[in-house]
């Protein structure tokens, strides 16, 4: 990442600043639904920031929908085809990117109907969630959170990456999930999310974030 100047901030202030920035954001494809990425390893808790921004948008009178890629995991038979700790499978095969394109991004293209499926698969029961579609009105924001988001060419209009140093990532990743660290090292090498994201948030200390945006 090199030497990047980051400014100390609180999570509440960060949520407000991001929401204010989104108010004037125009989708690159000319459609009515801006699409925002909150990218980060599970240990960085990108969902928390996405939900914080959603609340800040609600206060400002703008609708949004928070969607997590955890709800678009492939069935266990596909995820674990090569074992429960196969790094290559985690990196390339755990998340159903086709379903995300079809059920989340497709309805938000110009001319789409705005009916988004918020989740598809429950990893705990290994069954379809059967969740109803959610109607996102024109001007509403998609706030998609999850790991490894910036390597799939999803049509985001703004990208936020929550960065953890290698040491912090290792400390904050539960022992049963330590095997995934190799995938995040590869992600850093191949995608450089800290260098390519529009907004960078360093979250090594969960009480004292810093950002560049």
């Amino acid at each position: 990442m090199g030497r990047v100047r980051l400014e100390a901030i609180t999570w509440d202030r960060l949520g407000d600043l991001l929401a204010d920035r989104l108010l004037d954001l125009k989708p690159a494809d000319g459609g009515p639904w801006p699409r925002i990425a909150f990218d980060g390893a599970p240990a960085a808790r990108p969902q928390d920031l996405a939900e914080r921004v959603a609340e800040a948008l609600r206060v400002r009178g703008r609708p949004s929908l928070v969607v997590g890629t955890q709800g678009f995991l492939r069935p266990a038979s596909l995820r674990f085809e090569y074992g429960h700790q196969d790094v290559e499978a985690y990196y390339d095969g755990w998340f159903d990117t086709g379903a995300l394109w079809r059920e989340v991004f497709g309805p938000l293209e110009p001319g789409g109907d705005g009916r988004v499926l918020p989740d598809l698969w429950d990893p705990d029961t290994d069954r379809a969630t059967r969740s109803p579609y959610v109607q996102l009105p024109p001007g509403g924001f998609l706030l998609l959170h999850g790991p490894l988001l910036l390597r799939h060419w999803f049509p985001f209009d703004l990208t936020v990456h929550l960065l953890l140093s290698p040491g912090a990532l290792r400390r904050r990743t539960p022992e049963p999930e330590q095997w995934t660290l190799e995938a995040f090292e590869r992600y850093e090498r191949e995608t450089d999310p800290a260098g390519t994201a529009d907004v960078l948030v360093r979250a090594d200390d969960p009480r004292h974030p810093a950002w560049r945006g």
Side-chain angles (χ1 to χ4, degrees):
M1 183 181 69
R3 297 184 63 85
V4 177
R5 294 184 62 87
L6 299 174
E7 176 185 352
I9 196 170
T10 66
W11 289 111
D12 286 340
R13 178 63 174 156
L14 179 59
D16 286 337
L17 288 176
L18 287 176
D20 287 339
R21 179 169 177 174
L22 296 184
L23 294 180
D24 296 323
L25 182 65
K26 304 300 182 185
D29 61 8
W33 297 285
R35 297 144 300 188
I36 320 303
F38 292 85
D39 173 63
R45 305 185 66 85
Q47 178 177 354
D48 291 356
L49 182 56
E51 292 177 346
R52 193 179 297 271
V53 172
E55 175 59 20
L57 288 168
R58 186 192 66 79
V59 171
R60 289 159 175 77
R62 295 292 297 273
S64 65
L65 177 63
V66 177
V67 175
T69 58
Q70 189 71 13
F72 287 85
L73 287 171
R74 287 192 168 98
S77 60
L78 298 178
R79 298 199 312 276
F80 303 140
E81 182 178 2
Y82 303 103
H84 283 245
Q85 297 186 358
D86 186 276
V87 175
E88 191 72 22
Y90 179 74
Y91 194 72
D92 284 324
W94 271 40
F95 297 96
D96 192 341
T97 55
L100 283 164
W101 278 103
R102 182 179 67 252
E103 303 290 0
V104 178
F105 289 103
L108 303 182
E109 293 177 348
D113 60 11
R115 294 179 68 248
V116 175
L117 189 66
D119 51 58
L120 178 65
W121 199 258
D122 185 336
D124 294 326
T125 63
D126 200 35
R127 296 178 181 274
T129 59
R130 303 188 184 279
S131 295
Y133 285 86
V134 175
Q135 185 71 50
L136 189 62
F141 296 89
L142 169 69
L143 308 179
L144 181 69
H145 62 84
L148 313 174
L149 283 180
L150 305 188
R151 58 180 299 267
H152 296 297
W153 300 99
F154 290 138
F156 293 117
D157 299 297
L158 186 80
T159 55
V160 180
H161 176 63
L162 284 85
L163 174 68
L164 293 175
S165 68
L169 178 59
R170 184 169 297 278
R171 289 192 303 272
R172 293 173 57 184
T173 299
E175 182 62 33
E177 300 170 16
Q178 289 274 315
W179 64 272
T180 64
L181 298 181
E182 185 178 335
F184 292 109
E185 292 172 3
R186 178 180 172 187
Y187 183 52
E188 293 289 336
R189 292 194 309 270
E190 296 184 354
T191 306
D192 185 24
T196 58
D198 299 305
V199 176
L200 178 63
V201 179
R202 181 178 283 279
D204 283 5
D205 184 340
R207 299 166 300 175
H208 303 292
W211 82 309
R212 177 215 69 202

